[in-house]
Amino acid sequence: MNRVHQDIHEHSGELRAAARHFGRRRFLTVTGAAAALAFATQLPAAGSAAAAELDGRRISEDPFTLGVASGDPQPGSVLLWTRLAPRPFEPGGGLPAQRVSVHWELARDERFTRTVRRGRATAHPEFSHTAHVEVEHLDPGREFFYRFRVGDWTSPVGRTRTAPAPWARTGGLKLAAVSCQAYHDGYFTAYGHLAREDVDVVFHLGDYLYEYAVNATGGARAHTDRTLPAVFNRETLTLDDYRLRYGLYKSDPDLRAAHAAHPFVVTWDDHETENNYAGGTPENDVPPEEFLLRRAAAYRAYWEHQPLRAPQRPEGPDMKLYRRLRFGRLAQFDILDTRQYRSDQAYGDGWQVPGPESEDPARTLTGATQERWLLDGWRASDTRWNVLPQQVVFAERRDRATADFKLSMDSWDGYPASRQRILAGAEAAGVENLMVLTGDVHVGYGLDLKADFRDPASRTLGTEIVATSISSGKDGADRPSNYDKLMGANPHLKFFNGRRGYVTVALAEDGARADFRTVPYVTSPGAPVTTAASFVTEAGDPGLKPA
C-alpha cells in the first residue's frame, strides 16, 4: 500500500465517506463535488440560519498571528486579506464556529492620520475566519496603508498600491517573481530581503505550500526552540489538513513581512494540491472521485488563505484562477493556470524521449478555453509589454546535447503543440515584447524564446525569466551537477543558477532588466542576499544580454 493510500485509509475517512455518499456518477460534476465538500464543511448561511456572532472583545489572544496581505491591484481598487487565528496550529484556529466582525482601515500614510476608507467585514467560520475586503473607488497609481481591528486587537500594518489608470504612461514598473517554498527544506530568508526591496508587485508562480509531511523539528529547519504538532507530520488530504498547513506556512515571519510590504498576485502549481497532478488525474492510483474531493478541499483552502477576489472563489473542485491585470500602457499580465486543465503527462511523466504521444497536436497544457482567452487578450492588447506569469518551464530544455536527449513531460516540453499555438498566437497578435515568468524547477534560468528551438538561428520571439525557489531544494549550488550538460545542450539558455532566492524585473518603455537575487543557504537562518547575475532585453529586440 503506497503512502497516499495508507493515509487515506488511516486518516481520511472523510474523503471516502463523502465519495460513497454521493456516488461516482454524481460526484464527477461541479455540483456533485461542491455538495460533497459541503458534506464536511458548509458555506456561510444567510438570515436566521447563519452562525451566531462572536463579540470580538471576548477574543483573549492575538487573532492576527498570520499577518495581513493584499493582492491583484487594479486602477480603482485594492484587495485586502487577513485571517483570525489565535492558535493557527489547531483546527478552527482557536476560535469557535461563530462569525466575527472585522473592522478595516485604509490610509495614505503609515500612521493613519489621512484615512481614505474604513469599513467592516465578516470573517465566517466556514471560510476559516478569513476576510477578503475589496476596497473600491480609489485613485489609480497610489500607495496606501491598511490594517484590521477586532475587539482590542489591531493587526500589523500592510502597504499596498493601486495600478495606474489603463491609459496612463508610467515611467516604469518593478516586479518580483517568487516560487516554491517548502517549509521543511529551509527558512524563507529570501522573503525577508524581498520585504525590503522597492518593488511594486510580487508574482507568486506556484508551490506556495507542499502537501508533504513536516516533522516535529520542521525538517531541514531543525527547530530547537519549538516542537511542531503531530498534525503536520502527515500528507495533506482533507480541508482541515490544508487549512492547518497554511497556518504553518503563514506563521513564518519572513513570509508575513513580504506580504505586508507588497501586493501579491498569486497562481498555483501542483503542490498546493498534490505533486504533478494533471487536471482530474491524480499522481497516485486513487479513485477519481476521491481525488476531486481532495482537489476541492485544496482549492477551497487556497482561496481562503490568499489575497484573491470574489470571482476566484472556487465551486467544488473548480476554480477560475487565470485572469488579466494591466499596469497602464506599460504592461499587461495574463496569469495562467497550467495545472487544472492540462492533459495527463505523456509517457508516464518524468524526463522522457519525446515522441508521438507527447507531440500529439490534441494535447494541451492550458485547456482550449484558457488558450482562446489568452490569444484573444493579446489581440486586444495595446501595452508595451505582454507578460505571462505561469508555472512550468516554457522554453525547450534538453537534458543533454546528444540525439537521445530527454525532455520533462511535466513542462511545456511535454506539450509542444500547445506551446507552438501560444507562440504562433503571439506572433499573429503582433506581440513584440513577450516575457514569460516561470517557477517550479528550483533554479534560476534566463532563456530566449525561439521560433524553432531546434534551430539556434531562428527568430527570437521573447524571453523567459525563471525564478528559483524560496527554499525548496535546500541550499542548492551556484552550479548544479547538470550545469554543463544543460548549458551545452540549449544555446538559448543564457543563465543557470541553483541557489535559492527570487528575481526582480524592472520594466520600462525602452527595455527590461532582470536581477537574479540569491542567498547562499536556507537550512539555517540569516543568510545575506546578493545579485548572482543581471540581464537586459531591449523593447522591440527580444533576447537576453548581460547587463
Side-chain angles (χ1 to χ4, degrees), residues 48-81:
S48 60
E53 184 167 356
L54 174 67
D55 186 341
R57 292 171 296 182
R58 296 180 58 192
I59 298 176
S60 59
E61 301 172 78
D62 181 9
F64 297 109
T65 58
L66 304 182
V68 299
S70 68
D72 280 19
Q74 295 182 2
S77 72
V78 295
L79 185 286
L80 311 179
W81 175 93

PDB file of all heavy atoms in Angstrom, residues 48-81:
ATOM      1  N   SER A  48     -31.492  33.847   9.542  1.00  0.00           N
ATOM      2  CA  SER A  48     -31.523  33.249  10.875  1.00  0.00           C
ATOM      3  C   SER A  48     -30.688  31.985  10.973  1.00  0.00           C
ATOM      4  O   SER A  48     -30.316  31.550  12.057  1.00  0.00           O
ATOM      5  CB  SER A  48     -32.972  32.936  11.273  1.00  0.00           C
ATOM      6  OG  SER A  48     -33.538  32.034  10.331  1.00  0.00           O
ATOM      7  N   ALA A  49     -30.363  31.369   9.814  1.00  0.00           N
ATOM      8  CA  ALA A  49     -29.581  30.135   9.839  1.00  0.00           C
ATOM      9  C   ALA A  49     -28.088  30.405   9.939  1.00  0.00           C
ATOM     10  O   ALA A  49     -27.301  29.474  10.073  1.00  0.00           O
ATOM     11  CB  ALA A  49     -29.866  29.308   8.587  1.00  0.00           C
ATOM     12  N   ALA A  50     -27.677  31.680   9.837  1.00  0.00           N
ATOM     13  CA  ALA A  50     -26.258  31.993   9.879  1.00  0.00           C
ATOM     14  C   ALA A  50     -25.688  31.691  11.253  1.00  0.00           C
ATOM     15  O   ALA A  50     -26.393  31.676  12.265  1.00  0.00           O
ATOM     16  CB  ALA A  50     -26.043  33.470   9.530  1.00  0.00           C
ATOM     17  N   ALA A  51     -24.365  31.464  11.273  1.00  0.00           N
ATOM     18  CA  ALA A  51     -23.687  31.202  12.542  1.00  0.00           C
ATOM     19  C   ALA A  51     -23.841  32.398  13.471  1.00  0.00           C
ATOM     20  O   ALA A  51     -23.907  33.553  13.047  1.00  0.00           O
ATOM     21  CB  ALA A  51     -22.208  30.928  12.281  1.00  0.00           C
ATOM     22  N   ALA A  52     -23.932  32.123  14.762  1.00  0.00           N
ATOM     23  CA  ALA A  52     -24.020  33.197  15.752  1.00  0.00           C
ATOM     24  C   ALA A  52     -22.771  34.063  15.694  1.00  0.00           C
ATOM     25  O   ALA A  52     -21.715  33.636  15.247  1.00  0.00           O
ATOM     26  CB  ALA A  52     -24.185  32.592  17.142  1.00  0.00           C
ATOM     27  N   GLU A  53     -22.893  35.297  16.159  1.00  0.00           N
ATOM     28  CA  GLU A  53     -21.771  36.226  16.114  1.00  0.00           C
ATOM     29  C   GLU A  53     -21.007  36.204  17.419  1.00  0.00           C
ATOM     30  O   GLU A  53     -21.586  36.206  18.507  1.00  0.00           O
ATOM     31  CB  GLU A  53     -22.236  37.643  15.805  1.00  0.00           C
ATOM     32  CG  GLU A  53     -21.075  38.630  15.660  1.00  0.00           C
ATOM     33  CD  GLU A  53     -21.489  39.955  15.060  1.00  0.00           C
ATOM     34  OE1 GLU A  53     -22.672  40.098  14.680  1.00  0.00           O
ATOM     35  OE2 GLU A  53     -20.625  40.840  14.955  1.00  0.00           O
ATOM     36  N   LEU A  54     -19.672  36.189  17.304  1.00  0.00           N
ATOM     37  CA  LEU A  54     -18.793  36.239  18.462  1.00  0.00           C
ATOM     38  C   LEU A  54     -18.392  37.683  18.704  1.00  0.00           C
ATOM     39  O   LEU A  54     -17.927  38.371  17.795  1.00  0.00           O
ATOM     40  CB  LEU A  54     -17.547  35.379  18.210  1.00  0.00           C
ATOM     41  CG  LEU A  54     -16.440  35.435  19.263  1.00  0.00           C
ATOM     42  CD1 LEU A  54     -16.914  34.822  20.576  1.00  0.00           C
ATOM     43  CD2 LEU A  54     -15.178  34.729  18.762  1.00  0.00           C
ATOM     44  N   ASP A  55     -18.547  38.162  19.914  1.00  0.00           N
ATOM     45  CA  ASP A  55     -18.112  39.504  20.293  1.00  0.00           C
ATOM     46  C   ASP A  55     -16.586  39.518  20.292  1.00  0.00           C
ATOM     47  O   ASP A  55     -15.941  38.776  21.033  1.00  0.00           O
ATOM     48  CB  ASP A  55     -18.650  39.853  21.676  1.00  0.00           C
ATOM     49  CG  ASP A  55     -18.368  41.298  22.073  1.00  0.00           C
ATOM     50  OD1 ASP A  55     -17.473  41.929  21.466  1.00  0.00           O
ATOM     51  OD2 ASP A  55     -19.022  41.798  23.004  1.00  0.00           O
ATOM     52  N   GLY A  56     -15.991  40.355  19.453  1.00  0.00           N
ATOM     53  CA  GLY A  56     -14.551  40.412  19.337  1.00  0.00           C
ATOM     54  C   GLY A  56     -13.853  40.726  20.649  1.00  0.00           C
ATOM     55  O   GLY A  56     -12.679  40.363  20.833  1.00  0.00           O
ATOM     56  N   ARG A  57     -14.554  41.401  21.563  1.00  0.00           N
ATOM     57  CA  ARG A  57     -13.929  41.728  22.851  1.00  0.00           C
ATOM     58  C   ARG A  57     -13.688  40.495  23.707  1.00  0.00           C
ATOM     59  O   ARG A  57     -12.953  40.552  24.696  1.00  0.00           O
ATOM     60  CB  ARG A  57     -14.811  42.731  23.609  1.00  0.00           C
ATOM     61  CG  ARG A  57     -14.863  44.112  22.945  1.00  0.00           C
ATOM     62  CD  ARG A  57     -15.886  44.992  23.572  1.00  0.00           C
ATOM     63  NE  ARG A  57     -17.254  44.460  23.392  1.00  0.00           N
ATOM     64  CZ  ARG A  57     -18.344  45.079  23.814  1.00  0.00           C
ATOM     65  NH1 ARG A  57     -18.261  46.246  24.450  1.00  0.00           N
ATOM     66  NH2 ARG A  57     -19.536  44.542  23.606  1.00  0.00           N
ATOM     67  N   ARG A  58     -14.290  39.359  23.312  1.00  0.00           N
ATOM     68  CA  ARG A  58     -14.083  38.121  24.061  1.00  0.00           C
ATOM     69  C   ARG A  58     -12.866  37.339  23.568  1.00  0.00           C
ATOM     70  O   ARG A  58     -12.517  36.309  24.150  1.00  0.00           O
ATOM     71  CB  ARG A  58     -15.330  37.250  23.957  1.00  0.00           C
ATOM     72  CG  ARG A  58     -16.573  37.865  24.593  1.00  0.00           C
ATOM     73  CD  ARG A  58     -17.765  36.940  24.458  1.00  0.00           C
ATOM     74  NE  ARG A  58     -17.500  35.636  25.072  1.00  0.00           N
ATOM     75  CZ  ARG A  58     -18.273  34.562  24.891  1.00  0.00           C
ATOM     76  NH1 ARG A  58     -19.328  34.635  24.084  1.00  0.00           N
ATOM     77  NH2 ARG A  58     -17.972  33.428  25.483  1.00  0.00           N
ATOM     78  N   ILE A  59     -12.220  37.819  22.494  1.00  0.00           N
ATOM     79  CA  ILE A  59     -11.017  37.150  21.992  1.00  0.00           C
ATOM     80  C   ILE A  59      -9.842  37.574  22.863  1.00  0.00           C
ATOM     81  O   ILE A  59      -9.446  38.744  22.862  1.00  0.00           O
ATOM     82  CB  ILE A  59     -10.782  37.497  20.510  1.00  0.00           C
ATOM     83  CG1 ILE A  59     -11.960  37.010  19.660  1.00  0.00           C
ATOM     84  CG2 ILE A  59      -9.474  36.872  20.021  1.00  0.00           C
ATOM     85  CD1 ILE A  59     -11.871  37.384  18.198  1.00  0.00           C
ATOM     86  N   SER A  60      -9.284  36.641  23.595  1.00  0.00           N
ATOM     87  CA  SER A  60      -8.275  36.961  24.610  1.00  0.00           C
ATOM     88  C   SER A  60      -6.840  36.788  24.126  1.00  0.00           C
ATOM     89  O   SER A  60      -5.903  37.116  24.855  1.00  0.00           O
ATOM     90  CB  SER A  60      -8.488  36.085  25.854  1.00  0.00           C
ATOM     91  OG  SER A  60      -8.396  34.709  25.505  1.00  0.00           O
ATOM     92  N   GLU A  61      -6.640  36.258  22.912  1.00  0.00           N
ATOM     93  CA  GLU A  61      -5.305  36.105  22.340  1.00  0.00           C
ATOM     94  C   GLU A  61      -5.265  36.794  20.989  1.00  0.00           C
ATOM     95  O   GLU A  61      -6.279  36.919  20.317  1.00  0.00           O
ATOM     96  CB  GLU A  61      -4.970  34.621  22.168  1.00  0.00           C
ATOM     97  CG  GLU A  61      -5.001  33.793  23.443  1.00  0.00           C
ATOM     98  CD  GLU A  61      -4.848  32.311  23.140  1.00  0.00           C
ATOM     99  OE1 GLU A  61      -3.706  31.875  22.892  1.00  0.00           O
ATOM    100  OE2 GLU A  61      -5.869  31.595  23.123  1.00  0.00           O
ATOM    101  N   ASP A  62      -4.066  37.217  20.605  1.00  0.00           N
ATOM    102  CA  ASP A  62      -3.890  37.922  19.337  1.00  0.00           C
ATOM    103  C   ASP A  62      -4.451  37.087  18.180  1.00  0.00           C
ATOM    104  O   ASP A  62      -3.961  35.990  17.911  1.00  0.00           O
ATOM    105  CB  ASP A  62      -2.409  38.202  19.104  1.00  0.00           C
ATOM    106  CG  ASP A  62      -2.140  38.948  17.805  1.00  0.00           C
ATOM    107  OD1 ASP A  62      -3.108  39.410  17.161  1.00  0.00           O
ATOM    108  OD2 ASP A  62      -0.952  39.063  17.434  1.00  0.00           O
ATOM    109  N   PRO A  63      -5.467  37.585  17.477  1.00  0.00           N
ATOM    110  CA  PRO A  63      -6.027  36.808  16.360  1.00  0.00           C
ATOM    111  C   PRO A  63      -5.281  37.004  15.044  1.00  0.00           C
ATOM    112  O   PRO A  63      -5.570  36.312  14.065  1.00  0.00           O
ATOM    113  CB  PRO A  63      -7.453  37.351  16.250  1.00  0.00           C
ATOM    114  CG  PRO A  63      -7.327  38.783  16.666  1.00  0.00           C
ATOM    115  CD  PRO A  63      -6.242  38.819  17.720  1.00  0.00           C
ATOM    116  N   PHE A  64      -4.318  37.927  14.998  1.00  0.00           N
ATOM    117  CA  PHE A  64      -3.652  38.260  13.735  1.00  0.00           C
ATOM    118  C   PHE A  64      -2.288  37.578  13.622  1.00  0.00           C
ATOM    119  O   PHE A  64      -1.314  38.165  13.141  1.00  0.00           O
ATOM    120  CB  PHE A  64      -3.513  39.777  13.598  1.00  0.00           C
ATOM    121  CG  PHE A  64      -4.827  40.501  13.534  1.00  0.00           C
ATOM    122  CD1 PHE A  64      -5.255  41.282  14.588  1.00  0.00           C
ATOM    123  CD2 PHE A  64      -5.656  40.376  12.427  1.00  0.00           C
ATOM    124  CE1 PHE A  64      -6.467  41.949  14.542  1.00  0.00           C
ATOM    125  CE2 PHE A  64      -6.872  41.033  12.361  1.00  0.00           C
ATOM    126  CZ  PHE A  64      -7.283  41.821  13.428  1.00  0.00           C
ATOM    127  N   THR A  65      -2.207  36.332  14.036  1.00  0.00           N
ATOM    128  CA  THR A  65      -0.939  35.603  14.028  1.00  0.00           C
ATOM    129  C   THR A  65      -0.420  35.324  12.620  1.00  0.00           C
ATOM    130  O   THR A  65       0.775  35.052  12.459  1.00  0.00           O
ATOM    131  CB  THR A  65      -1.098  34.271  14.760  1.00  0.00           C
ATOM    132  OG1 THR A  65      -2.149  33.519  14.117  1.00  0.00           O
ATOM    133  CG2 THR A  65      -1.448  34.475  16.227  1.00  0.00           C
ATOM    134  N   LEU A  66      -1.292  35.359  11.630  1.00  0.00           N
ATOM    135  CA  LEU A  66      -0.894  35.037  10.256  1.00  0.00           C
ATOM    136  C   LEU A  66      -0.722  36.284   9.392  1.00  0.00           C
ATOM    137  O   LEU A  66      -0.544  36.191   8.178  1.00  0.00           O
ATOM    138  CB  LEU A  66      -1.893  34.073   9.626  1.00  0.00           C
ATOM    139  CG  LEU A  66      -2.111  32.776  10.424  1.00  0.00           C
ATOM    140  CD1 LEU A  66      -3.085  31.861   9.706  1.00  0.00           C
ATOM    141  CD2 LEU A  66      -0.794  32.059  10.678  1.00  0.00           C
ATOM    142  N   GLY A  67      -0.777  37.444  10.025  1.00  0.00           N
ATOM    143  CA  GLY A  67      -0.464  38.678   9.335  1.00  0.00           C
ATOM    144  C   GLY A  67      -1.562  39.182   8.424  1.00  0.00           C
ATOM    145  O   GLY A  67      -2.749  38.843   8.573  1.00  0.00           O
ATOM    146  N   VAL A  68      -1.162  40.004   7.475  1.00  0.00           N
ATOM    147  CA  VAL A  68      -2.080  40.636   6.526  1.00  0.00           C
ATOM    148  C   VAL A  68      -1.482  40.494   5.131  1.00  0.00           C
ATOM    149  O   VAL A  68      -0.296  40.199   4.960  1.00  0.00           O
ATOM    150  CB  VAL A  68      -2.293  42.127   6.860  1.00  0.00           C
ATOM    151  CG1 VAL A  68      -2.911  42.286   8.250  1.00  0.00           C
ATOM    152  CG2 VAL A  68      -0.976  42.908   6.765  1.00  0.00           C
ATOM    153  N   ALA A  69      -2.307  40.727   4.127  1.00  0.00           N
ATOM    154  CA  ALA A  69      -1.839  40.647   2.740  1.00  0.00           C
ATOM    155  C   ALA A  69      -2.758  41.470   1.856  1.00  0.00           C
ATOM    156  O   ALA A  69      -3.906  41.774   2.223  1.00  0.00           O
ATOM    157  CB  ALA A  69      -1.802  39.198   2.254  1.00  0.00           C
ATOM    158  N   SER A  70      -2.257  41.821   0.676  1.00  0.00           N
ATOM    159  CA  SER A  70      -3.085  42.459  -0.346  1.00  0.00           C
ATOM    160  C   SER A  70      -2.734  41.840  -1.679  1.00  0.00           C
ATOM    161  O   SER A  70      -1.679  41.215  -1.837  1.00  0.00           O
ATOM    162  CB  SER A  70      -2.866  43.973  -0.381  1.00  0.00           C
ATOM    163  OG  SER A  70      -1.560  44.284  -0.851  1.00  0.00           O
ATOM    164  N   GLY A  71      -3.631  42.013  -2.665  1.00  0.00           N
ATOM    165  CA  GLY A  71      -3.366  41.360  -3.933  1.00  0.00           C
ATOM    166  C   GLY A  71      -4.162  41.910  -5.093  1.00  0.00           C
ATOM    167  O   GLY A  71      -5.092  42.699  -4.914  1.00  0.00           O
ATOM    168  N   ASP A  72      -3.772  41.472  -6.294  1.00  0.00           N
ATOM    169  CA  ASP A  72      -4.444  41.798  -7.553  1.00  0.00           C
ATOM    170  C   ASP A  72      -4.784  43.290  -7.661  1.00  0.00           C
ATOM    171  O   ASP A  72      -5.954  43.676  -7.774  1.00  0.00           O
ATOM    172  CB  ASP A  72      -5.704  40.949  -7.709  1.00  0.00           C
ATOM    173  CG  ASP A  72      -5.389  39.542  -8.198  1.00  0.00           C
ATOM    174  OD1 ASP A  72      -4.226  39.118  -8.068  1.00  0.00           O
ATOM    175  OD2 ASP A  72      -6.304  38.865  -8.700  1.00  0.00           O
ATOM    176  N   PRO A  73      -3.776  44.170  -7.655  1.00  0.00           N
ATOM    177  CA  PRO A  73      -4.063  45.609  -7.720  1.00  0.00           C
ATOM    178  C   PRO A  73      -4.737  45.997  -9.029  1.00  0.00           C
ATOM    179  O   PRO A  73      -4.320  45.570 -10.111  1.00  0.00           O
ATOM    180  CB  PRO A  73      -2.674  46.252  -7.597  1.00  0.00           C
ATOM    181  CG  PRO A  73      -1.714  45.172  -7.970  1.00  0.00           C
ATOM    182  CD  PRO A  73      -2.344  43.887  -7.579  1.00  0.00           C
ATOM    183  N   GLN A  74      -5.771  46.793  -8.930  1.00  0.00           N
ATOM    184  CA  GLN A  74      -6.469  47.352 -10.073  1.00  0.00           C
ATOM    185  C   GLN A  74      -6.434  48.875  -9.976  1.00  0.00           C
ATOM    186  O   GLN A  74      -6.139  49.425  -8.913  1.00  0.00           O
ATOM    187  CB  GLN A  74      -7.903  46.822 -10.128  1.00  0.00           C
ATOM    188  CG  GLN A  74      -7.972  45.317 -10.363  1.00  0.00           C
ATOM    189  CD  GLN A  74      -9.385  44.787 -10.463  1.00  0.00           C
ATOM    190  OE1 GLN A  74     -10.352  45.536 -10.389  1.00  0.00           O
ATOM    191  NE2 GLN A  74      -9.510  43.475 -10.624  1.00  0.00           N
ATOM    192  N   PRO A  75      -6.747  49.596 -11.053  1.00  0.00           N
ATOM    193  CA  PRO A  75      -6.610  51.054 -11.013  1.00  0.00           C
ATOM    194  C   PRO A  75      -7.448  51.736  -9.928  1.00  0.00           C
ATOM    195  O   PRO A  75      -7.007  52.729  -9.366  1.00  0.00           O
ATOM    196  CB  PRO A  75      -7.051  51.479 -12.413  1.00  0.00           C
ATOM    197  CG  PRO A  75      -6.752  50.298 -13.264  1.00  0.00           C
ATOM    198  CD  PRO A  75      -7.037  49.100 -12.417  1.00  0.00           C
ATOM    199  N   GLY A  76      -8.638  51.194  -9.651  1.00  0.00           N
ATOM    200  CA  GLY A  76      -9.505  51.859  -8.691  1.00  0.00           C
ATOM    201  C   GLY A  76      -9.776  51.070  -7.435  1.00  0.00           C
ATOM    202  O   GLY A  76     -10.638  51.457  -6.642  1.00  0.00           O
ATOM    203  N   SER A  77      -9.076  49.972  -7.222  1.00  0.00           N
ATOM    204  CA  SER A  77      -9.396  49.163  -6.048  1.00  0.00           C
ATOM    205  C   SER A  77      -8.205  48.330  -5.604  1.00  0.00           C
ATOM    206  O   SER A  77      -7.285  48.060  -6.381  1.00  0.00           O
ATOM    207  CB  SER A  77     -10.593  48.236  -6.334  1.00  0.00           C
ATOM    208  OG  SER A  77     -10.233  47.192  -7.208  1.00  0.00           O
ATOM    209  N   VAL A  78      -8.263  47.930  -4.329  1.00  0.00           N
ATOM    210  CA  VAL A  78      -7.287  47.011  -3.765  1.00  0.00           C
ATOM    211  C   VAL A  78      -8.047  45.897  -3.055  1.00  0.00           C
ATOM    212  O   VAL A  78      -9.193  46.072  -2.634  1.00  0.00           O
ATOM    213  CB  VAL A  78      -6.325  47.710  -2.780  1.00  0.00           C
ATOM    214  CG1 VAL A  78      -5.464  48.725  -3.501  1.00  0.00           C
ATOM    215  CG2 VAL A  78      -7.086  48.370  -1.633  1.00  0.00           C
ATOM    216  N   LEU A  79      -7.417  44.755  -2.932  1.00  0.00           N
ATOM    217  CA  LEU A  79      -7.973  43.612  -2.217  1.00  0.00           C
ATOM    218  C   LEU A  79      -7.136  43.394  -0.967  1.00  0.00           C
ATOM    219  O   LEU A  79      -5.910  43.198  -1.051  1.00  0.00           O
ATOM    220  CB  LEU A  79      -7.966  42.363  -3.105  1.00  0.00           C
ATOM    221  CG  LEU A  79      -8.612  41.053  -2.634  1.00  0.00           C
ATOM    222  CD1 LEU A  79      -7.782  40.334  -1.562  1.00  0.00           C
ATOM    223  CD2 LEU A  79     -10.018  41.288  -2.093  1.00  0.00           C
ATOM    224  N   LEU A  80      -7.785  43.433   0.199  1.00  0.00           N
ATOM    225  CA  LEU A  80      -7.096  43.267   1.480  1.00  0.00           C
ATOM    226  C   LEU A  80      -7.502  41.940   2.099  1.00  0.00           C
ATOM    227  O   LEU A  80      -8.658  41.518   2.001  1.00  0.00           O
ATOM    228  CB  LEU A  80      -7.450  44.405   2.440  1.00  0.00           C
ATOM    229  CG  LEU A  80      -7.349  45.825   1.891  1.00  0.00           C
ATOM    230  CD1 LEU A  80      -7.766  46.834   2.948  1.00  0.00           C
ATOM    231  CD2 LEU A  80      -5.934  46.106   1.383  1.00  0.00           C
ATOM    232  N   TRP A  81      -6.551  41.293   2.779  1.00  0.00           N
ATOM    233  CA  TRP A  81      -6.792  39.957   3.350  1.00  0.00           C
ATOM    234  C   TRP A  81      -6.238  39.864   4.759  1.00  0.00           C
ATOM    235  O   TRP A  81      -5.184  40.440   5.071  1.00  0.00           O
ATOM    236  CB  TRP A  81      -6.105  38.891   2.486  1.00  0.00           C
ATOM    237  CG  TRP A  81      -6.198  37.500   3.065  1.00  0.00           C
ATOM    238  CD1 TRP A  81      -7.144  36.561   2.795  1.00  0.00           C
ATOM    239  CD2 TRP A  81      -5.316  36.899   4.027  1.00  0.00           C
ATOM    240  NE1 TRP A  81      -6.908  35.412   3.527  1.00  0.00           N
ATOM    241  CE2 TRP A  81      -5.787  35.597   4.296  1.00  0.00           C
ATOM    242  CE3 TRP A  81      -4.170  37.352   4.706  1.00  0.00           C
ATOM    243  CZ2 TRP A  81      -5.151  34.737   5.191  1.00  0.00           C
ATOM    244  CZ3 TRP A  81      -3.543  36.497   5.604  1.00  0.00           C
ATOM    245  CH2 TRP A  81      -4.038  35.197   5.841  1.00  0.00           C
TER     246      TRP A  81
END
